[in-house]
Amino acid sequence: QVQLVESGGGLVQAGGSLRLSCAASGRTFSTVAMAWFRQAPGKEREFVAAVSGNGDMTIYADSVKGRFTISRDNAKNTMYLQMSSLKTDDTAVYHCAAALTTYSGSTSGEYHYWGQGTQVTVSS
């Protein structure tokens, strides 16, 4: 069993920055891929970014490429999402997710464990 707890969400003005964290426990964190997904009101959950178990591979949704950076610190069992140049369209609940494999992609079905989410609101 893996427990995931997100933190770092909040209210920020457009153009600002936030850093989300995802603390993991219950399993060997460094062996599995992790990802961030988000869901805005009335919309389907969408992929944001993913990182491999050892951090050697990252992938991003086109909508956040160049603005968001995913990273992980396996010594701290924590994953991060640094978000910059935030837009109102980035407003959503952000969820972290953990796979069962070292490398995973952008589809939610590849991820087995999910956190409860943290709200990010970007005002104009």
Side-chain angles (χ1 to χ4, degrees):
Q1 188 71 17
V2 174
Q3 293 81 43
L4 303 173
V5 179
E6 303 95 336
S7 61
L11 174 64
V12 63
Q13 286 190 326
S17 300
L18 277 177
R19 188 176 83 155
L20 305 183
S21 299
C22 174
S25 62
R27 187 184 168 99
T28 305
F29 177 76
S30 63
T31 65
V32 298
M34 303 281 293
W36 290 97
F37 288 79
R38 66 187 183 186
Q39 188 165 18
K43 295 186 177 181
E44 293 187 355
R45 182 169 52 192
E46 66 171 346
F47 170 78
V48 176
V51 60
S52 59
N54 60 8
D56 65 337
M57 188 190 79
T58 57
I59 54 174
Y60 295 91
D62 288 343
S63 59
V64 306
K65 202 171 293 183
R67 300 188 299 121
F68 291 9
T69 302
I70 190 170
S71 62
R72 63 192 297 161
D73 184 340
N74 286 345
K76 296 181 179 180
N77 280 10
T78 303
M79 176 180 65
Y80 304 98
L81 185 69
Q82 178 66 48
M83 305 185 294
S84 302
S85 301
L86 283 162
K87 306 175 182 179
T88 55
D89 286 349
D90 295 319
T91 295
V93 176
Y94 284 70
H95 297 269
C96 66
L100 298 178
T101 54
T102 301
Y103 295 93
S104 287
S106 61
T107 56
S108 60
E110 298 177 74
Y111 296 88
H112 195 72
Y113 301 101
W114 293 82
Q116 291 298 308
T118 185
Q119 176 71 47
V120 172
T121 303
V122 184
S123 63
S124 58

